[in-house]
Every structure is written in structure tokens, then in C-alpha cells.
Amino acid sequence: MNKFLLRIFVIFTVIFIQINFLDLIFLKNNLINLSILTLVSWIVISGFEKMWMWIFLLGFFNDVFFAERIGFNILFFIIFAYLISFASKSFIIERKLSGFLLVAVFILLGSFMGSFLNLLIGELSFSKEILIYGAKSYFISWENFIGANIFAGVCFYGIYTFINKIEKHIARSDSKLNISF
Amino acid sequence: MSRKFTSKKIFKVLAVCAIAILLILWNPNNFFNGVRGFFMGVTLPVQKFLSAGATKTHSFGQAIYSIGKIKKENKYLMEENLKLRAQNAKFTDIMKENEDLRNQLKISSREEFDLEPARIIGKDIYNNDSWILIDKGRKNGIEKGMSVIVADGILVGKIEEVFDSTARVVFITEKLMNINVETVETGAVGVAKGDYGLGLIMDLVLQTDSLKIGDRVITSDISQDVPRGLLVGEIREINSAQNDLFQKAVISLPVDFFKLRFVFVIKNTSH
């Protein structure tokens, strides 16, 4: 129960900070998607096997609050999580530098894919206008792009630390339960 | 063992993907409206608190950013103030004339609208900027389809979805938006269509109608749900070829939708 409440708390915190805070501060263009940063943190810390159900819920609540079509974020998040899990098995564990670079690529890729897939699935069609609009909303200028991604890195550090503490707390509670049994 | 593990993982991914695809195709938005409304209502205080924090943070950031510009801006504003005072005297007379004309044309005065002020507490997460979330909902008499304006009658969007204490407003720049409009100067009639959040296009204007760059575009009385006379924008560019059946024009918006903090919902659309 404690585990459930803590992770639900993480999901809701991330969603509301995104929609009610970050999106109102970064008015013109927002490349920072806290849900994607949370997803990357969960996979890196606990792995796909342990977290896939929570990623499903993260996607579901993102859909409930924001998406025009329920299911879009579930689909995107689960595929993205699987890809991260697949790639991180080959790189992150063995090499620290390539692991760091890979996490940066995940964050960039996640924001990019999120922007485009939402448009494509929202319209259920593919056209030149959608591509142009997607590109314009994602890329305003180099300054904006670099600045936003540096900020995304800072946010990732914060979210990673926050989730790491929560996951450690959950692991400690689980081990205490095992001992008492 | 490893292969078994991977295939198990793939099975989970495929199962979740299948559920997600079914949901996307089924699109059960109405089914989840109750859930959405419940969470929106329960979390409204938190959302209001966060959006107030965002507004303050943004204003603070803007203030720091603009310190250097303040002196220059002050001089400009003083000059502007003088000009506006002169214009104000002129407009007092025009206002009276406008009131008489409105009475004759039976157009509702903007002051006659039953306006519900609302604060923006949320924004489109994927930055497509097609919608905003406001802190007024069913409890405040908000209904789907109501027009949303800023300042003195500038149309920004329409209510798309209503919850108990919040509502979702879709901007007029959204692709699926179609609003009947006309130009003030020449009376050319057309339909304003959203251009994927990038702006507005005035379409279906007859070749016989005259369009000029700088013409003001307002809502016409053809629309049942949008009051007449709301400002939509100004014509920035005209695309007209002799072979085309209709003329098209690009409309520039009078307000920056990104910077909106407060809006007004028009509750009485009949006039």
C-alpha cells in the first residue's frame, strides 16, 4: 500500500508540475517533459520488469489529463521504456560515460517523439502541415533548444535523485517486511 | 534463460501495446470523463497553487530580464501616453456614434455580455498550444461551445470540455476550428480556420469580395454560438489567384496566446 501510494504520488506530482507550472513558465516552447524524465529514471534505477506496470499507469494518467485519445501515452511510454531497457542493458551497466550520453539521448529522443507522435495520433493522419508544425513547435532556435535541453538535464538530475530516494525507501520497507515474516 | 526473459518482456510490451491501440481506436473519452472530472476537482487547489507560483516565477523572470529596458520603455510610454490622451478625446465622440449605430444594427454592446472571468491554470502538455485549462467550470455556469475572449472582445477560443470546477478551452488557431467571419472595412465574408496552432486562415471568400491587407476581421452573425462583432485579427497576407474559386487570407492575431493569464467566458451567446 505504501509502495502504491508513493508511486502514485510521484505520477501525480510530475503531471501537475508539468501542466500547471512548467508549461505556464515556458510559454513559447517547452522541450521538457517530466513524465519522460521520470520514465527514464525508473528504468535506469529499477529496470523495466519491475516498473512496466507503473509506466502503464504513468501513460494512462497522462492520457486521462491531457491527451485527446486515451491510449496514446500508454503506447508511447511502454515502447519507449522497452527501448531504453534494451539499450541500457548493453551500455549503461558497463560504461559510465556511454551510459550518461545514452540517458541524454533518451531525453532528447523522448521529447522529440512525444511532440510528433501526439500530433500524428491526435490527427490519425500524416501530412506535410503536421510535419512542419511539429518541427516548428519542437525547434524554435538553437538558443532555445540548447537552453531547454540543459534545463532538462538539471530537471533529470532532480527527478533521478527524488525517485532514487523513493525507490530506496520502498526497497528498505520491502526488506523489513521480509525479515519480519 | 536470457532469451526466455526477453520474450517474456516482449510479451508484456505487446500486450500493453494491443490494449493501448484498442483504446486509441475506440477513443473512449466520454467513458473517462467522470474520472477526469473527479481528479480535476480533487486536485484543483493544488493546480491553482502551482499555476499561481508559475505566474509569479514568470513575472519575476520577466522583471529581471527587462530591467535594462525599463528606462527606454518609460520614455516610450510617456510619449505613447500623450498620444493616447489625444486619441481618447477623439474616441469619446466616436464611442457615442458607435453606440447609436449598434442600436440601429441591433448588435449587442460588448458591455452587455455576461462575462465570467477565469484564470488559466494549465496548458497543453505537448506544447501544441491548442488548449488551455481554466479555473471555472460547470459550477460557474460554463457550458460547452461558449466563446472565450480577452480584453474588450478579442476572440481567443471556445469551451471544448467542461468539468465541475474547470474547463478546457480550445484556441481558434486549432485545426478543427471554423468560425464565420467578415471584414469590418469591406464586409467580405468568409470562414476563419485554424492552421495547426500557427495562426488563422480566412478561407472561402468570394472572388467578388474585396480584401485588403490591414482589414480587421470580426465574427459575423452567421454563427449561432459565437456573438457578432468579436475581433479575430487583421489581414496580413492575401492569397488570391484568378483561377481559384475563393480567395484566402492569412490573419494575424491581435494577442499572443502564449502570454494569456486571464480570459473571459461569454455566458450569454444569444443576442
Side-chain angles (χ1 to χ4, degrees):
Chain A
M1 191 62 186
N2 187 23
K3 196 195 308 190
F4 177 81
L5 287 177
L6 277 171
R7 284 183 183 146
I8 283 287
F9 170 73
V10 170
I11 291 174
F12 277 81
T13 306
V14 159
I15 286 175
F16 288 122
I17 287 181
Q18 178 82 52
I19 193 171
N20 301 121
F21 193 80
L22 278 185
D23 286 353
L24 290 176
I25 290 181
F26 298 101
L27 301 168
K28 292 251 170 186
N29 155 292
N30 181 15
L31 302 176
I32 300 145
N33 188 325
L34 294 185
S35 292
I36 285 167
L37 301 185
T38 305
L39 183 153
V40 176
S41 304
W42 268 345
I43 295 294
V44 172
I45 294 166
S46 304
F48 181 87
E49 278 291 301
K50 223 172 158 184
M51 300 311 295
W52 72 274
M53 216 34 227
W54 293 98
I55 289 160
F56 176 88
L57 282 177
L58 181 70
F60 174 76
F61 281 113
N62 264 276
D63 282 332
V64 165
F65 284 107
F66 317 118
E68 282 176 24
R69 285 177 185 273
I70 303 281
F72 154 69
N73 281 301
I74 301 174
L75 182 71
F76 168 47
F77 284 3
I78 208 79
I79 292 174
F80 192 56
Y82 179 73
L83 290 177
I84 294 172
S85 162
F86 185 77
S88 62
K89 270 198 182 305
S90 323
F91 295 93
I92 288 177
I93 299 165
E94 287 98 7
R95 291 178 283 271
K96 274 211 160 178
L97 180 68
S98 57
F100 170 77
L101 289 174
L102 207 66
V103 168
V105 170
F106 290 153
I107 294 166
L108 274 174
L109 201 70
S111 310
F112 176 78
M113 281 168 71
S115 284
F116 273 86
L117 282 178
N118 184 42
L119 273 173
L120 297 179
I121 293 178
E123 302 281 334
L124 281 184
S125 66
F126 186 80
S127 67
K128 195 180 140 196
E129 284 85 4
I130 293 176
L131 271 181
I132 293 170
Y133 175 59
K136 278 187 179 173
S137 70
Y138 181 74
F139 189 87
I140 288 180
S141 66
W142 276 110
E143 280 172 11
N144 187 290
F145 180 77
I146 293 167
N149 281 297
I150 289 172
F151 186 67
V154 175
C155 285
F156 178 73
Y157 180 75
I159 285 181
Y160 183 89
T161 314
F162 173 62
I163 288 177
N164 199 20
K165 277 190 178 164
I166 286 184
E167 290 304 317
K168 273 183 182 166
H169 176 78
I170 289 171
R172 266 201 307 272
S173 309
D174 282 352
S175 62
K176 268 182 198 169
L177 270 175
N178 286 337
I179 291 163
S180 63
F181 276 121
Chain B
M1 183 68 187
S2 162
R3 184 172 281 181
K4 203 176 171 186
F5 168 76
T6 317
S7 62
K8 234 171 109 182
K9 204 154 79 169
I10 284 179
F11 174 75
K12 282 171 191 166
V13 172
L14 290 176
V16 173
C17 286
I19 294 169
I21 290 168
L22 273 176
L23 284 168
I24 290 170
L25 295 174
W26 179 30
N27 196 18
N29 257 336
N30 292 335
F31 181 74
F32 286 111
N33 269 355
V35 182
R36 202 177 288 194
F38 170 76
F39 282 116
M40 286 289 183
V42 168
T43 55
L44 186 65
V46 180
Q47 294 196 55
K48 276 186 174 175
F49 173 75
L50 283 171
S51 63
T55 309
K56 278 180 189 164
T57 311
H58 183 74
S59 306
F60 180 70
Q62 287 285 317
I64 298 232
Y65 178 73
S66 61
I67 278 173
K69 293 181 188 168
I70 285 174
K71 203 177 165 187
K72 204 175 157 190
E73 212 170 272
N74 194 31
K75 197 183 163 203
Y76 169 78
L77 285 173
M78 279 171 77
E79 284 169 9
E80 189 77 2
N81 188 33
L82 283 174
K83 274 188 212 166
L84 288 172
R85 279 166 72 178
Q87 270 184 1
N88 191 26
K90 196 174 134 193
F91 284 141
T92 312
D93 187 42
I94 293 173
M95 210 168 81
K96 197 177 172 303
E97 193 183 317
N98 182 40
E99 203 176 304
D100 293 342
L101 286 169
R102 276 180 182 276
N103 285 336
Q104 282 172 41
L105 290 168
K106 292 190 169 73
I107 302 170
S108 305
S109 160
R110 283 173 192 127
E111 287 75 32
E112 280 174 24
F113 292 140
D114 180 11
L115 298 176
E116 182 71 45
R119 206 167 84 179
I120 296 167
I121 57 166
K123 194 178 150 237
D124 186 3
I125 186 173
Y126 281 107
N127 202 46
N128 298 329
D129 298 306
S130 56
W131 58 264
I132 47 171
L133 194 70
I134 56 170
D135 67 345
K136 296 287 164 68
R138 207 172 285 120
K139 284 179 189 167
N140 310 91
I142 308 293
E143 285 169 24
K144 189 180 172 176
M146 285 178 169
S147 305
V148 179
I149 61 167
V150 289
D152 196 10
I154 299 168
L155 183 69
V156 292
K158 281 167 86 174
I159 300 286
E160 176 65 23
E161 206 173 3
V162 190
F163 308 105
D164 279 349
S165 329
T166 56
R168 201 152 67 102
V169 178
V170 173
F171 285 136
I172 51 172
T173 51
E174 166 73 354
K175 192 204 158 204
L176 296 172
M177 282 291 232
N178 286 321
I179 296 149
N180 293 300
V181 291
E182 63 182 60
T183 57
V184 176
E185 283 77 8
T186 59
V189 181
V191 176
K193 294 176 173 176
D195 189 20
Y196 289 98
L198 297 175
L200 273 175
I201 304 285
M202 184 173 172
D203 200 359
L204 304 176
V205 182
L206 292 173
Q207 288 287 359
T208 48
D209 282 349
S210 163
L211 287 176
K212 279 195 303 223
I213 289 173
D215 279 0
R216 281 165 299 163
V217 180
I218 56 166
T219 52
S220 70
D221 48 7
I222 302 171
S223 299
Q224 291 292 312
D225 50 351
V226 181
R228 188 183 193 280
L230 298 176
L231 183 65
V232 174
E234 272 184 13
I235 291 181
R236 194 179 62 206
E237 196 184 312
I238 301 163
N239 302 318
S240 158
Q242 278 190 334
N243 297 337
D244 291 345
L245 197 57
F246 298 107
Q247 300 183 75
K248 268 186 186 179
V250 179
I251 301 172
S252 69
L253 302 167
V255 284
D256 188 349
F257 288 179
F258 298 113
K259 290 180 179 168
L260 296 180
R261 293 286 175 209
F262 295 92
V263 289
F264 297 92
V265 183
I266 301 177
K267 285 159 86 177
N268 57 336
T269 49
S270 57
H271 51 267

